Amino acid sequence: MSDVSQPRNSYLDAPYGLASWLLTKDHKRIAMLYLISITIFFAIGGLFAAGIRLELLTPQGDLWTSDLYNKLFTLHGVVMIFFFLVPSIPATLGNFLMPIMIGAKDLAFPRINLISWYLYIIGATVTLAAVFTGGLDTGWTFYTPYSSVSSQTAVTTAAIGVFITGFSSILTGLNFIVTTHRMRAPGMTWFRLPLFVWSNYATSLVMILGTPVIAITVLLVAAERALGLGFFDPARGGDPVLFQHLFWFYSHPAVYIMILPGMGVISELVAAMARKQVFGYSFVAFSSLAIAILGFLVWGHHLFVSSQSIYAGLVFSIITMLVAIPSAVKTFNWTATLYRGSISWQSPTWWVVGFMGLFTIGGLTGVFLGTLGLNIHLTDTYFVVAHFHYIMVGGAIMAYMGGLHFWWPKMTGRMFSDAGSKTSAVLVFVGFNLTFFPQFVLGFMGMPRRYHAYPDEWQVLNVLSSCGAGVLALGYALPLVYLTYSLFRGAAAPANPWGAKGLEWTIPSPPTTYNFEAEVRVDEPAYNYKSTREVHVG
Amino acid sequence: MKLPFPLLPPNASTVATEVDILYWFITAISAFFVVLVAALVVIFTIKYRRRHEDEVGADIHGSLVAELTWTFIPLVLSLLMFFWGADLAFRLARPPVDAMEIFVVGKQWMWKIQHPDGTREINQMHVPAGRNIRLTMGSEDVIHDYSIPAFRVKMDVVPGKLTTLWFNATTPGTYHLFCAEYCGTNHSGMIGEVIVMEPQAYEAWLSGATGGPAVPPAQAGEQLFAANACATCHSGQPGAIGPNLGGLAGAAVTLTDGRTVVADDNYLRESIMVPLAKVVAGYQPVMPPFQGLLSEEQVMQLLAYIKSLKPAGPAAH
């Protein structure tokens, strides 16, 4: 392991002062701004979740009023999806790493990168204003005509907040695409790109193609509500199911916005922790693109019981089956990468192992829901709730946490408590399964989503779920403690604490403002472990 | 050993077992792959753990055979599930022709049920066991969803159109009825019971159910037809202003723009509520809209009346 002394002028220190952060064009500082912002929103979204799980400890619906409960699950979804999950990996780890991984000094459009953070903050502020001026009770799905006609809450304000935030996502996607095309260092060919870059590239395609549709759709809801125009309300000549088509045209691909970057993180972590070339590199890379493309063609599987034509349902069902294949291919390739690797038992591996278990369950339960005849019984129940939490929390957030720990020394220049990280990974894994596995059982029994009160016989499973949520919360709170501690007291990180390959590990921790002091030239494929080490496994 | 709380839903319809078999089939396949992946990850992580600091993994780049294997096997399995599920879905979507029709209207936050003899109930639905039953459902306000987990069926109830759901209950008993599409404040209170009875018990229940005399929907529709002076134009006479409604239900209709549509429930409903959307060829677009003037329940009654008309028209009825 090479030992590089702390640089005198890391991006964190030069220059100093609040203004230098708020006006920065450095992708690494913008990544840190995002990191702080999304952590705050993760905590807020978590508080809403705590409100939900506390209420569901008892069947009667006795802790909050129905209206408050409806606002809690709505805001939990809105905050977690639009203000935490969608920006999570791309805007923090992606922002920080994309330029470094391809040997560039910054993203293609540093100013646009800063604007995207400000748009995120403005959108989030407007949405929070909705929380304090009547709340929001439409569910994060904003289904019409409830949202456009019936709801008494601040739907228009929230819709505008989501609309603004959408542009933040579009600009990030645009920046990543142009950066990947134009900013690669000499020798960094497409097939030498780290898989994290591939998956963020695929994600960016979804962001710029899908996000405008959700932006327009929520604007139409706001227009129907505020101006009385008839788009979705049948009383005014509209079609409520049209909304669902438009909404899911973005919101299903949005699932891939959330999970694809996580898959990229896992590819990096598997390779680094096993010190081995990713098995089937090109299959893993192209499966990201396949997911991004097929992901646009499956939105109708959210509409199987909506009165959509059954023939449309057939098409959406079969494409849903097809989109499961590239995810399966990735999972098998990661598993195969571990074969005859040199697997470190340091904490990033623990997050990866957790991800593999949870993501596999999440993906397979998606097949249940894609199966037409079975979907009818399972849709709109807790089975769906459990399924997408396995993907988004068990998959995307596990990967995010793993990536955050893995690159933390690079980002901050400090080592963290490995034991703390392992404890957190175990707490999250156990707490997560305890929270969400009982929900599969509840869903198969027919417990509908978004229920403030429920039949008595389902209390035991709901109590288990709520207890699990407590453990999960502990698992997420713990890193706040030891990572914050590491910022001030952590040991100085060497340039390459994991002994990993990749351009980011060739520069100091934390990097200097322009990342690379000398011109970068790449002459080897990604994860080329055989070139540097002497000892090989068996 | 019996647990003090359930882990499985009751099974009380003809399709429930079919749905369950598919569910457990996919569960078995999924369990196999979860165990396989988890076991390999754990075994590899232990067996190939790093033994000294400078060690790297074996120089393996991939294998086309492996990639094709783990593309092809999931593909075949998922296509099997697709065809199985699609076949089941078609049977769930198509009500048998002999089904008895019950009307369901959802509104924030209650379910209104009307039986063929006109008997009404709220948040309860009594049905006979062993009989095909088709629900024709409409919403007065936002989207709801009529969900009966014990029967493994559910369907959205959408404002602006009529949707259908069918089942054949097998086992007498009382089962949960839920609204499964979020509909506002009291969504989780929009629940009720489906009470499956032996056929004789159902008939007995019908005859003693309500206080006043029940008016069958078609008869109520006839009264509405008269009260709204529909026969002024839809007289069934040659040269009438509106088309003859006798024998219309289920027939093919040619529109002024040349299209041909089938006069199903949703066509008839639309032609009452928003008549100018699809005007029959040879007629003037003069009918006033009844949107906002008729409730969904009244529309269903009018439909029942129109379906009861012989081809000669209202006059001959």
Side-chain angles (χ1 to χ4, degrees):
Chain A
M1 201 173 298
S2 57
D3 219 318
V4 178
S5 59
Q6 286 274 5
R8 294 210 177 76
N9 271 322
S10 88
Y11 81 97
L12 291 168
D13 302 326
Y16 285 102
L18 187 63
S20 77
W21 278 85
L22 294 179
L23 298 173
T24 183
K25 295 186 285 294
D26 181 349
H27 66 103
K28 298 180 290 303
R29 286 192 164 199
I30 295 169
M32 296 310 264
L33 292 177
Y34 264 116
L35 178 63
I36 295 163
S37 328
I38 68 165
T39 304
I40 292 168
F41 279 97
F42 187 38
I44 295 173
L47 282 179
F48 291 135
I52 296 171
R53 287 316 323 172
L54 282 174
E55 172 62 78
L56 296 179
L57 277 170
T58 57
Q60 291 86 10
D62 43 10
L63 183 59
W64 320 118
T65 63
S66 292
D67 281 328
L68 179 57
Y69 179 79
N70 294 344
K71 288 175 187 175
L72 285 172
F73 74 68
T74 298
L75 294 167
H76 168 68
V78 167
V79 166
M80 285 300 202
I81 288 169
F82 294 114
F83 301 105
F84 175 67
L85 279 164
V86 166
S88 62
I89 294 176
T92 56
L93 301 176
N95 238 330
F96 195 97
L97 294 163
M98 287 281 282
I100 301 179
M101 282 182 163
I102 63 171
K105 287 182 165 39
D106 207 317
L107 287 171
F109 307 116
R111 287 181 183 82
I112 287 180
N113 197 19
L114 183 63
I115 289 170
S116 84
W117 181 72
Y118 276 103
L119 286 172
Y120 167 86
I121 293 294
I122 294 167
T125 310
V126 172
T127 308
L128 282 183
V131 175
F132 292 108
T133 57
L136 181 69
D137 76 340
T138 60
W140 82 277
T141 48
F142 292 99
Y143 269 22
T144 56
Y146 182 74
S147 64
S148 60
V149 177
S150 180
S151 173
Q152 302 296 312
T153 56
V155 180
T156 308
T157 316
I160 292 169
V162 169
F163 177 80
I164 295 169
T165 311
F167 283 90
S168 150
S169 187
I170 293 168
L171 292 181
T172 301
L174 185 75
N175 224 336
F176 282 4
I177 288 173
V178 176
T179 304
T180 311
H181 277 276
R182 305 295 303 164
M183 307 284 283
R184 283 173 288 121
M188 179 56 87
T189 60
W190 282 87
F191 290 98
R192 286 177 179 169
L193 286 175
L195 288 162
F196 182 70
V197 178
W198 271 102
S199 69
N200 272 293
Y201 180 81
T203 307
S204 302
L205 291 176
V206 182
M207 281 175 165
I208 64 166
L209 294 173
T211 316
V213 180
I214 187 75
I216 292 163
T217 308
V218 294
L219 214 56
L220 291 177
V221 171
E224 178 161 292
R225 205 181 155 79
L227 309 175
L229 302 174
F231 299 113
F232 309 120
D233 176 13
R236 281 176 278 190
D239 179 356
V241 181
L242 173 65
F243 171 84
Q244 297 177 29
H245 283 283
L246 293 172
F247 178 82
W248 288 111
F249 183 81
Y250 163 80
S251 293
H252 193 78
V255 173
Y256 301 114
I257 293 180
M258 297 177 233
I259 192 65
L260 272 171
M263 292 168 158
V265 167
I266 295 301
S267 296
E268 295 300 318
L269 265 58
V270 165
M273 300 320 281
R275 287 201 188 141
K276 195 160 164 287
Q277 166 71 252
V278 171
F279 194 90
Y281 171 98
S282 51
F283 288 89
V284 177
F286 280 115
S287 63
S288 292
L289 289 181
I291 288 171
I293 294 163
L294 288 173
F296 270 109
L297 305 174
V298 299
W299 78 87
H301 68 211
H302 296 267
L303 282 78
F304 287 156
V305 301
S306 72
S307 76
Q308 167 184 258
S309 146
I310 189 167
Y311 297 101
L314 276 183
V315 175
F316 287 121
S317 174
I318 197 165
I319 303 176
T320 302
M321 294 302 178
L322 297 183
V323 82
I325 307 299
S327 298
V329 166
K330 279 183 191 281
T331 305
F332 289 123
N333 277 300
W334 293 322
T335 309
T337 306
L338 295 175
Y339 173 69
R340 292 179 63 201
S342 164
I343 302 168
S344 163
W345 280 15
Q346 285 165 299
S347 66
T349 303
W350 292 50
W351 292 100
V352 172
V353 170
F355 170 96
M356 293 288 283
L358 302 181
F359 175 73
T360 305
I361 294 176
L364 285 162
T365 49
V367 174
F368 285 73
L369 292 165
T371 305
L372 215 46
L374 198 49
N375 174 283
I376 294 167
H377 176 55
L378 297 175
T379 191
D380 293 328
T381 71
Y382 263 85
F383 193 93
V384 176
V385 176
H387 157 68
F388 71 69
H389 280 91
Y390 266 83
I391 295 289
M392 292 184 193
V393 185
I397 303 184
M398 265 334 240
Y400 170 71
M401 294 298 284
L404 188 64
H405 284 92
F406 180 68
W407 283 294
W408 183 263
K410 182 57 58 187
M411 296 169 81
T412 65
R414 301 284 187 166
M415 297 306 291
F416 55 87
S417 160
D418 204 51
S421 172
K422 286 172 180 168
T423 313
S424 167
V426 170
L427 284 175
V428 167
F429 185 83
V430 171
F432 177 85
N433 280 303
L434 192 53
T435 310
F436 292 104
F437 201 84
Q439 296 185 4
F440 283 126
V441 182
L442 286 167
F444 184 56
M445 285 194 289
M447 179 168 168
R449 299 172 64 177
R450 300 169 167 179
Y451 260 36
H452 176 219
Y454 57 85
D456 293 341
E457 70 261 29
W458 292 336
Q459 186 173 12
V460 175
L461 289 167
N462 272 290
V463 169
L464 278 179
S465 185
S466 293
C467 293
V471 180
L472 191 56
L474 212 59
Y476 286 132
L478 191 59
L480 268 182
V481 177
Y482 65 76
L483 288 180
T484 310
Y485 177 84
S486 89
L487 279 181
F488 301 100
R489 293 285 157 83
N496 190 0
W498 314 112
K501 295 288 289 183
L503 288 174
E504 75 270 31
W505 304 113
T506 64
I507 57 174
S509 307
T512 55
T513 302
Y514 296 106
N515 302 339
F516 301 97
E517 296 303 313
E519 197 192 341
V520 182
R521 185 163 286 280
V522 180
D523 54 8
E524 59 176 4
Y527 323 114
N528 191 22
Y529 283 94
K530 67 171 179 182
S531 67
T532 47
R533 309 280 162 171
E534 310 77 40
V535 191
H536 290 255
V537 172
Chain B
M1 190 189 82
K2 194 175 179 334
L3 285 168
F5 55 92
L7 291 174
L8 294 173
N11 173 334
S13 78
T14 51
V15 297
T17 304
E18 290 188 67
V19 172
D20 288 1
I21 291 171
L22 178 54
Y23 177 83
W24 291 113
F25 171 74
I26 302 182
T27 303
I29 302 249
S30 300
F32 170 78
F33 280 106
V34 170
V35 170
L36 177 73
V37 170
L40 288 176
V41 167
V42 169
I43 290 168
F44 290 166
T45 307
I46 292 170
K47 186 170 178 196
Y48 302 113
R49 66 184 177 278
R50 190 170 298 162
R51 285 159 205 276
H52 40 92
E53 193 40 48
D54 285 339
E55 189 180 68
V56 298
D59 186 30
I60 303 170
H61 290 252
S63 150
L64 187 60
V65 175
E67 300 292 343
L68 291 178
T69 308
W70 59 53
T71 302
F72 192 67
I73 292 174
L75 184 65
V76 169
L77 287 173
S78 64
L79 287 181
L80 173 65
M81 292 168 196
F82 163 75
F83 283 110
W84 189 341
D87 174 61
L88 185 55
F90 268 95
R91 276 177 287 139
L92 285 165
R94 295 196 167 147
V97 284
D98 66 347
M100 168 179 129
E101 187 175 34
I102 293 179
F103 292 141
V104 173
V105 173
K107 58 182 287 190
Q108 289 167 324
W109 291 276
M110 60 158 77
W111 295 107
K112 291 158 65 172
I113 315 293
Q114 188 172 23
H115 294 262
D117 75 338
T119 301
R120 295 162 186 280
E121 44 186 336
I122 286 177
N123 293 343
Q124 275 200 333
M125 183 173 73
H126 289 76
V127 292
R131 188 144 172 214
N132 294 325
I133 292 168
R134 181 176 84 242
L135 308 182
T136 296
M137 308 189 291
S139 166
E140 292 285 1
D141 37 51
V142 300
I143 301 177
H144 303 281
D145 184 293
Y146 205 74
S147 164
I148 310 167
F151 297 171
R152 314 288 188 270
V153 293
K154 74 162 67 76
M155 184 68 199
D156 279 7
V157 181
V158 184
K161 64 168 77 167
L162 299 174
T163 56
T164 59
L165 177 67
W166 83 272
F167 56 83
N168 186 325
T170 51
T171 319
T174 301
Y175 305 101
H176 287 302
L177 161 65
F178 296 119
C179 175
E181 185 63 66
Y182 175 68
C183 59
T185 305
N186 206 16
H187 169 53
S188 62
M190 193 167 164
I191 57 176
E193 290 172 338
V194 176
I195 298 151
V196 179
M197 310 173 91
E198 296 295 355
Q200 312 89 312
Y202 172 72
E203 296 301 331
W205 172 83
L206 279 181
S207 56
T210 45
V215 182
Q219 202 180 320
E222 186 174 10
Q223 290 162 8
L224 283 165
F225 201 79
N228 287 286
C230 305
T232 313
C233 302
H234 297 284
S235 61
Q237 305 300 322
I241 296 168
N244 178 11
L245 303 182
L248 172 62
V253 180
T254 306
L255 306 181
T256 46
D257 62 7
R259 277 185 301 159
T260 302
V261 296
V262 174
D264 57 10
D265 282 1
N266 272 315
Y267 167 82
L268 294 174
R269 183 194 174 281
E270 184 182 39
S271 295
I272 296 169
M273 296 301 229
V274 198
L276 304 192
K278 296 191 177 84
V279 178
V280 177
Y283 292 90
Q284 293 302 310
V286 291
M287 180 171 159
F290 283 82
Q291 178 125 289
L293 301 177
L294 294 171
S295 69
E296 291 298 327
E297 198 176 352
Q298 289 172 320
V299 173
M300 290 177 186
Q301 289 163 350
L302 277 169
L303 259 50
Y305 171 63
I306 292 170
K307 287 178 191 173
S308 75
L309 293 175
K310 302 286 177 290
H317 186 70

